Amino acid sequence: MANDEDEQSFKRMWEDAQHRFEQKTNKSLVQHSLSLDDVLKDLDERFNDDDLDNDRKRQRVKQLASNVLKLIQLLGGIAAQGASTVFGPAAQCFCAFKFLLDIPARISRFHDDLASLFAEISTFLNVFKIYQRIEDFARVDVELKRCAHKLMVLIVDMCALSINYFNSSTFRKLWSDAKVALFEDDTGVKAKLEEFKTLINHQSQISDAVTLEHVLRSEHEQTSSLKKVLDMLNQTSDNTNWELRRINEELDSVHRDTRMVAKYVAASSDQKERQDHIEQIYKKLSVETNDINDIDRGFLQIQGDSQKSTGSWLDDIEVYKKWADLNAECDPVLWLSGESGTGKTHLAFTILNSFMKRVSSAENHSMRVSSAFYRYVRNEKRPRDDTVKYSLRCIAAQLAKKNAVYMKQLLSHMESIENFNIRQKSVEDLYKELIAPPKKNDISDIAYVLLFDGMDQLSDGEARQLAGAVCESSPSRVRVLMTGTGDSLRLCSGSTRQGLDLAPHIHVVDHNLPDIELFVKTELEDCNLLRGDQKEILRVVAEVREDLPRNAKGNFKDAQQIIEQVSGAIESELTEEEITNIISGKTLKDVQRLIDELNGSLKPHEIDQLNELLIWVIYAYEWLKEDEMEAALFMRTNRKPFVPLRKKVEEKYRSILQIDSDGSGFVKTKNDEFVDFFQESIRERQVDNEDGENDPKISMTINIDRVNQSQVQRFFWDLSEKVLLDKFAFTASTASPEPGAKISANLTEAHLTIVKRCFDLLLDEPIPETAILCEYALEYLPMHLDVLGSPNNKNLLRPAEKEEIVGSLVNLLQSADTVERHLNEAFLLEGRWLDEMFEVEIIKGWLYDSEATSRLRRKERIWLKQVDSEGWYFALKDVARMIARQWLCSRRFPAPPPFYWIDTWIDRMGQKPVQEAASERENGVPSEMESNQDQTKDNVGDNHVLPAKARIARAVAWAEKEGETTKNSLYYERLGYTYLDQHESECSLEAFVKAKSFPNNSWQVSRGLAEAYAAADKKDMAVKEMELVITSLRSKEPAIDQASDLARSLIDSAMWHKDLGHTPEAIDYLREVIRIDPFSYQPYYQLLTTLINSNTESEALTVLNEMNTEPSKELKLTKLQAMLLAMVECEPVESCETIFHFIRHHSLFDVILQAFERRIASTHESATSSTVIKLRFVYGVALAGYGTQEQKLESALNQWRKSYELGLQSRAEDWFWACKAASRIFNLHYSKAKSLQSSGEGVESNLTELQNLTERMQMRNPQYGENLQLVLASFYGSIGKQEAARQLLLNQMKSGFDLLSDDDPENDWVGYITIADVLMHTGDDLNALSARFLSMAGRRASHVPCPITCDGRCNKAVSWMDSLWFCKICEDVQLHDECLTKLREGTLTHFVCGPDHDWLYVPSSVEEEKTTGEGNVLIGGELQDGKRLGGQIVPIKEWLDAIKQDWAIEKSAADVQI
């Protein structure tokens, strides 16, 4: 019985609910009194009218609503029990439901949302059904009644929120959206449902407690067994809480160790965070990192191919000079026009390069310039959904990568927009939003230079869209460079209101004669045949140099072709008159003439072969190698050619095709002119003959002579059987090419051919001759179908061709076994076939084409109807089921890749999880893995990301629902590896333990369990479990794969023993691994480091000597030399330094140096592979850090210089190594300058090299360039050039203040740390300390874990309470007191920075904040031994204003918000 106080609290609860309902809906609950029968009657009438449009959905709503109403009646009985004044909580719920159902909506979306709401409520209220069996509520506990009241109030609140949502403009605007918006965060319903679920869980706990209480009270003896059980449960609960606290503390320790390891993976925490932000921007912009890296490489390639003085004549052109002046008021667009081969691209990149040089120049700081570009290529190997939009997103990604301020503000802008969808914006809106983003306009000294190269490569519509957006939407501090033909300029001129015809325009061929002259001179010098000293050759060279630049008419390709023809004429000993005719340009051959000549000279079968090659060379999405091209030719002719492809290309097709000579073996066209020629050709429209005159026909005349009746009957019976049952064993023959065959490779025909080839590869059984192309077919078939499905191409296909494509596509999607045959890990990891293109262009574009699907068989048409009704993802359902089997029922692939694919597929199809109570699932997933089932609700489209545990549970539920699982040992093993990959160690442990409970389980289960123990930091358990694996593998027959498994298990166990301090066991296991595989160098290295660290140096030296006497697989190298060279490739530099440090005083060190020298000498001088770059860098480290002679320092310097040069010329990934090499060069030069400071000799030469290193790196990668600028500024300071240091870092200082002045407080700590770095490297140590304090305080206030680690590798965790020493010379180097002492004494085992560097002591930010108080900062004082003494406390704004004044930085429009 509820007391009066409880009853009054319940009444107030309902009064508040009534008030909220009336505010939300303008309807009153108290003026209506409804019973369950009233609402059910209304429900029956409402959902049983004559309107059958949405009958199935309406009936589902009715069923769910009825169930909820009956459960509310039950709740009402519980809530109202014992109350002296019954205020009818159930009646008020019924009234709220009545108002919700009164909304006059007949749209499908209303029924979907209503059904979803009722289903959510019903799922959780079902647990109350047990009370239907209780006839008397008199003894129901008061807490249970309170819970019932709260649940019913929440139901009323949800009804109010839903009514408000359905009546709002939001619902009317979004009703057609595929996502259930009712449960989005902004409606409030989702939050109420979460509260609802929490109360249900609370109710369950109350019920359990009350039940146990009644059971215990029924016992007369307090010492009964049940009482003991209760006491034991309480004690277990206390122990569990203690254990959880201990685990939590251990996890904190693991996290600290993890952060420490991360320090050596990323260059610094700040750089890592910046990289994380860049990756977020890439994701939001939907651009690929590889594409941005390819753009960077493209710039380097063009820059390398360009002549040094290209475009020197631009300085004499007034329109260019005005356009290039960033402070001038002028049109933002400059157009460079000219035909193919006139050097537009090289000229444009020269202009872009000149702007980049301004940025890196220490003398020019009036404007901060960021540049970006995109090259449009008609035969781009990876086409995009929208080329222009994608190019703008790539432009923004480049700017974010180069400009930290732009990056921060663009990210803030995108995150401030709910459901930011970049793909739905128009070209003009996208340009406005990205160039430059909001909140950038108040920064007056930042400018952007953008290059859009190859406007003529776009379609007419795309070119007009881009030109219109650029001309009408470019901000004042943006300069845009566009290149294209004169025709493309005229096309775009009329696309804007102001018109490109008003923009500055340079017709390249009118001015580029100086560039042509230099080009001719360079080509003549490089041509061996034209470098003779005979009079005749000298006359020819003089004539070429004099006449060719004018005869070429501004076209570099024509000039090059003429020089090649002259060279060939001299080799063929033609007359001077004929050579003069060549120089005049009269013999130039255009593409059409070359094609005509080949058509006349090649045989029909050679033309047929060439056509196949051209199709793949021009239209494939990857460059194919010789063996892949031979497979393509086999598919065309069904036989292997007698003449090798390389010989055919070199002898027959050399005028149009070539094979790369760099060792890659890629087959390509000679130049892009052939590509343009074939892509511009159009397939003639193909129409089937309606009258059937030209259709193939079969006719037959049968003569019957002197044959009896039974024989005639038998003959016709056999003939009928052959026809009806298709038993004629005809072999498809490849028709010979027609005598009049022509060279052809138009876009439509080419993609049609490749699509047919891909279907043949995938649907037929693989054969050795063509198997190499199967992976290409699986990956790129959708992209070829996408191009072929465009309206322009589809209209050129015959109906029969469309039917063939759709039939093959349906056959492929229905045949999961076919896909399984060709499945590979890349397909799974990259989520292929799950992108938007597959949904829109492939499924909807082809399978919904009524003309193409009209002749499908009945079974296929039924399947298509299911796809239409269930959704596009149904087309992939069989494939998904197959991949689910690969995930949980097979070891063909590691467990994570199939899970990634399934997880992505569930995301894409927007499927909700299967909601099943854990108690109702027999032999289900263990309880820990089923926890948080409430999190498995899919949130596709929201910013919320499901936790890994919830995603795995969601995927498991789907696989079980589809019946693709058998819960055996293998099932739980695969599940365990999936959890382990997602760092869910506890769930992984549970799964592996369950897997091991099955009889006859595999040793791989024990191995997985051991790895899970190790991940949970239970190394002792891991060692014991791995011992079972090792014993099992030792007992098996020796085999290569089992030996590999045993070696891997021994290494893991050895590392765990090492961590546990069991050094002898670790050493024994590592020696056993070496016996199993004596040429694997990882166990050797682990053995050596274990011996060195355990003070058994003599044993380590013995191992090293043995390795130096035993040959490696490379006979010229010993095992020791081979190990060090292999470590360069795959281990951190610090690993090599461990060995260098140990043997630095031993003769073995010279042996290692000799191995490096021989390996470097054997590489090509111009080789730019990552291996060579690292090899030179590590060799320099060995020489400089551990050598003893002075000349070794010079040799190290040379190695680092070459590593730097090669790194800059190589891939973007290798710029990191170039930056590391530059840092080492800086350190050596700094030490030299410091030693020469008194005499002043040689300092300027050192400075010149450092300036050059910094400037070039700044042009390649601004992030690394800024790091080097900091070090260069310190060098300036060391030689007394403080003003030069400040000028060099002025832009970085401005960037720091820009980040402080925006509206995002999360950017403030980044701004402060930027200011701190600049101040410290320009000698202003006291202010640097103040800025460093503010940056750390800002991070701590944002609850960011301390990301700083000690670079001394002391493994000490760094917290916000700690103090550290910061190097004032290097960028981002910090040490603890002990490690700084070791550095100065020369006892650190690896290089950190120079022992002669100056250091700044940064005290604990926590202690300083207690002194200063919020909003203030400590400034001034004096430094003694790097530490601040004294000082005064001032407001932060006052201090910042003083810094700005000192650096002559104008105040921005937005004041700094403190």
Side-chain angles (χ1 to χ4, degrees), residues 505-516:
H505 169 220
I506 298 175
H507 190 51
V508 176
V509 296
D510 294 341
H511 307 279
N512 70 347
L513 183 59
D515 296 338
I516 294 285

Side-chain angles (χ1 to χ4, degrees), residues 528-564:
N528 292 328
L529 288 173
L530 297 176
R531 286 193 295 186
D533 55 2
Q534 298 96 328
K535 293 181 180 179
E536 294 81 3
I537 291 181
L538 291 175
R539 280 199 302 270
V540 169
V541 169
E543 187 178 356
V544 170
R545 187 171 294 167
E546 179 70 23
D547 298 340
L548 179 55
R550 290 191 301 274
N551 296 338
K553 299 177 181 177
N555 195 299
F556 291 87
K557 289 183 179 178
D558 288 350
Q560 185 176 30
Q561 186 179 340
I562 288 172
I563 291 174
E564 290 175 356

Side-chain angles (χ1 to χ4, degrees), residues 270 1270 1273-1274 1289 1292-1297 1299-1300 1308-1337 1339 1348 1366-1372 1374 1400 1402 1417 1428 1439-1440 1443 1447:
D270 295 332
L1270 291 171
S1274 296
L1289 300 184
Q1292 290 198 44
M1293 180 64 88
K1294 289 180 178 180
S1295 296
F1297 277 104
L1299 291 170
L1300 293 180
D1308 287 354
W1309 70 265
V1310 184
Y1312 284 126
I1313 204 168
T1314 302
I1315 293 171
D1317 283 338
V1318 171
L1319 291 169
M1320 185 175 72
H1321 286 84
T1322 53
D1324 192 350
D1325 295 340
L1326 291 171
N1327 279 321
L1329 279 175
S1330 302
R1332 186 76 61 182
F1333 157 71
L1334 291 173
S1335 72
M1336 290 182 168
R1339 288 193 189 188
I1348 304 173
F1366 282 70
C1367 180
K1368 295 168 59 177
I1369 308 302
C1370 299
E1371 192 275 331
D1372 193 39
Q1374 304 92 34
L1400 181 66
V1402 179
V1417 64
R1428 189 207 302 262
W1439 171 73
L1440 288 173
I1443 298 291
W1447 282 74

